[in-house]
């Protein structure tokens, strides 16, 4: 097999952590990847990987070879980027991850404009409310709403997602409107279990002092879209980002409550794989969405643009 191809597979095995992860990406078998590594070791006359039942580790020779391979492959990638920049040709597959509701409401509707600029790019969009492991999933760029948990990720902050407590007019007609966060103890609250402390809601008073209250209700879900639908159906009061309810607020299906109290905002970031600088393709993708979010009135009122590095 071509030496360069074997070098690429070897680096991906090291970076993904397993033969099976690379096999899934290549849509082949684990044994096929194992045979490629054996072929590479045979060509080199050296053992690169020490294999066990469920994992592998690099030998000293493997560590040296990986460092050299990474230099060669990165140099080739730099050359490819330079050629594409010169030809103004951004092309190829881009694997993107995003929270489910955010992806459906704010990424997919804007892809027409992105393809108008970059028709040769293919988007593989992974929608998942949990934080996807970029390396294990082979993701190039991910949208993250909230504080970043992984300090190793390279991140670019592109906005701030503001939040509110919301309820439908039908629910408020039956149960009344809370006037203070402590009133929520007497209300049905729709709980999003994707949060670290889902039953604790924090508000800021007029002086910016945080006030945390415990809430409960008859419905909870790990899906932000299921939670949104439950609030619109009048099952209770929700606590969420405003962008999730933009159309519902305008249509009168829900309204913010406890508006004298602010909710701590959440950063909106895009994150990249660690130890890898974003490709030209990724940079153009991120720039396009940062520009779109800043110019769209529906989101511009809810996001404070910030192009810094987070």
């Amino acid at each position: 097999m071509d030496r360069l191809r074997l070098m690429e597979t070897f680096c991906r095995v090291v970076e993904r952590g397993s033969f099976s992860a690379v096999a899934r990406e290549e849509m082949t078998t684990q044994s096929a990847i194992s045979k490629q590594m054996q072929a590479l070791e045979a060509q080199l006359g050296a053992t690169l990987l020490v294999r066990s039942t469920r994992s592998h580790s690099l030998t000293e020779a493997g560590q040296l070879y990986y460092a050299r391979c990474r230099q060669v492959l990165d140099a080739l990638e730099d050359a490819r980027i330079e050629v594409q920049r010169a030809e103004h040709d951004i092309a190829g597959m881009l694997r993107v991850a995003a929270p489910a509701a955010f992806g459906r409401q704010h990424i997919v509707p804007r892809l027409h404009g992105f393809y108008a600029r970059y028709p040769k790019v293919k988007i593989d969009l992974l929608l998942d409310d949990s934080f996807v492991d970029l390396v294990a999933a082979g993701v190039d760029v991910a949208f993250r709403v909230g504080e970043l948990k992984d300090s190793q990720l390279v991140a670019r902050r592109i906005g701030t997602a503001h939040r509110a407590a919301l309820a439908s007019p039908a629910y408020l007609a039956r149960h009344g409107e809370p006037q203070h966060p402590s009133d929520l103890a007497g209300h049905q609250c729709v709980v999003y279990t994707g949060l670290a402390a889902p039953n604790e809601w924090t508000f800021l008073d007029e002086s910016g002092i945080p006030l945390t209250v415990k809430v409960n209700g008859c419905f909870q879900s790990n899906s932000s879209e299921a939670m949104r639908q439950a609030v619109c159906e009048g099952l209770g009061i929700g606590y969420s980002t405003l962008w999730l309810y933009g159309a519902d607020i305008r249509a009168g299906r829900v309204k913010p409550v406890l508006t004298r109290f602010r909710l701590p905002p959440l950063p909106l970031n895009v994150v990249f794989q660690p130890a890898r600088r974003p490709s030209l393709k990724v940079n153009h993708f991120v720039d396009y969405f940062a520009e779109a979010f800043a110019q769209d009135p529906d989101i511009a009122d809810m996001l404070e643009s910030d192009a810094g590095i987070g």
Side-chain angles (χ1 to χ4, degrees):
M1 180 176 285
D2 177 74
R3 175 70 62 86
L4 181 60
R5 175 64 174 166
L6 291 175
M7 290 168 60
E8 291 175 336
T9 303
F10 171 66
C11 285
R12 290 171 67 191
V13 167
V14 173
E15 292 161 3
R16 300 294 188 267
S18 70
F19 290 177
S20 58
V22 177
R24 286 193 297 270
E25 292 177 5
E26 293 287 338
M27 292 185 291
T28 186
T29 63
Q30 184 174 336
S31 63
I33 300 299
S34 179
K35 288 178 181 178
Q36 290 182 38
M37 294 302 92
Q38 292 172 6
L40 179 61
E41 289 175 328
Q43 288 182 11
L44 295 171
T47 300
L48 303 176
L49 297 163
V50 177
R51 301 159 179 82
S52 64
T53 304
R54 296 187 176 181
S55 64
H56 66 262
S57 60
L58 285 171
T59 64
E60 183 176 355
Q63 293 174 352
L64 292 171
Y65 191 67
Y66 170 73
R68 291 294 189 181
C69 286
R70 190 71 270 163
Q71 290 176 358
V72 171
L73 295 175
D74 285 346
L76 289 172
E77 176 67 6
D78 287 343
R80 184 189 65 79
I81 290 172
E82 290 296 332
V83 170
Q84 288 191 336
R85 182 181 291 116
E87 296 296 327
H88 303 286
D89 185 15
I90 308 301
M93 181 67 74
L94 188 63
R95 189 162 170 80
V96 180
F102 188 83
R104 279 192 268 268
Q105 292 187 22
H106 300 293
I107 296 177
V108 174
R110 292 180 168 86
L111 289 179
H112 277 300
F114 178 78
Y115 287 134
R117 294 187 189 181
Y118 309 108
K120 297 182 180 179
V121 175
K122 295 182 179 180
I123 304 295
D124 182 0
L125 181 60
L126 174 63
L127 296 181
D128 194 324
D129 281 345
S130 63
F131 278 9
V132 174
D133 184 323
L134 272 63
V135 175
V139 169
D140 298 297
V141 58
F143 291 83
R144 295 276 172 87
V145 181
E147 298 296 336
L148 297 177
K149 298 179 181 179
D150 189 342
S151 61
Q152 295 183 342
L153 292 175
V154 180
R156 174 180 168 184
R157 184 166 176 171
I158 60 172
T160 301
H162 296 281
R163 297 189 286 178
L166 309 104
S168 71
Y171 175 87
L172 297 175
R174 292 195 306 271
H175 301 281
E177 184 170 341
Q179 301 302 310
H180 190 274
S182 60
D183 296 341
L184 293 173
H187 281 270
Q188 292 288 335
C189 293
V190 175
V191 173
Y192 174 53
T193 58
L195 299 175
N199 293 93
E200 295 182 357
W201 293 0
T202 298
F203 298 81
L204 304 176
D205 67 14
E206 295 172 349
S207 301
I209 298 174
L211 173 64
T212 300
V213 296
K214 290 188 178 296
V215 300
N216 279 292
C218 62
F219 180 81
Q220 64 182 34
S221 177
N222 67 342
S223 165
S224 59
E225 292 182 305
M227 180 192 69
R228 172 195 152 272
Q229 188 64 32
V231 172
C232 291
E233 295 292 338
L235 295 186
I237 298 174
Y239 178 97
S240 183
T241 50
L242 283 169
W243 55 256
L244 183 63
Y245 289 89
D248 301 312
I249 294 172
R250 290 190 297 274
R253 289 187 289 270
V254 299
K255 60 169 285 189
V257 298
L258 297 169
T259 53
R260 289 194 303 113
F261 300 86
R262 293 186 298 111
L263 277 65
L266 297 173
L268 174 64
N269 292 286
V270 287
V271 296
F272 317 102
Q273 287 192 23
R276 289 285 193 90
R277 70 181 186 186
S279 67
L280 186 63
K281 179 171 53 182
V282 168
N283 283 333
H284 278 282
F285 179 84
V286 173
D287 287 346
Y288 169 81
F289 277 93
E291 176 187 336
F293 291 159
Q295 293 180 356
D296 190 302
D298 187 38
I299 298 182
D301 291 338
M302 303 175 189
L303 299 180
E304 298 170 349
S305 182
D306 179 356
I309 303 297

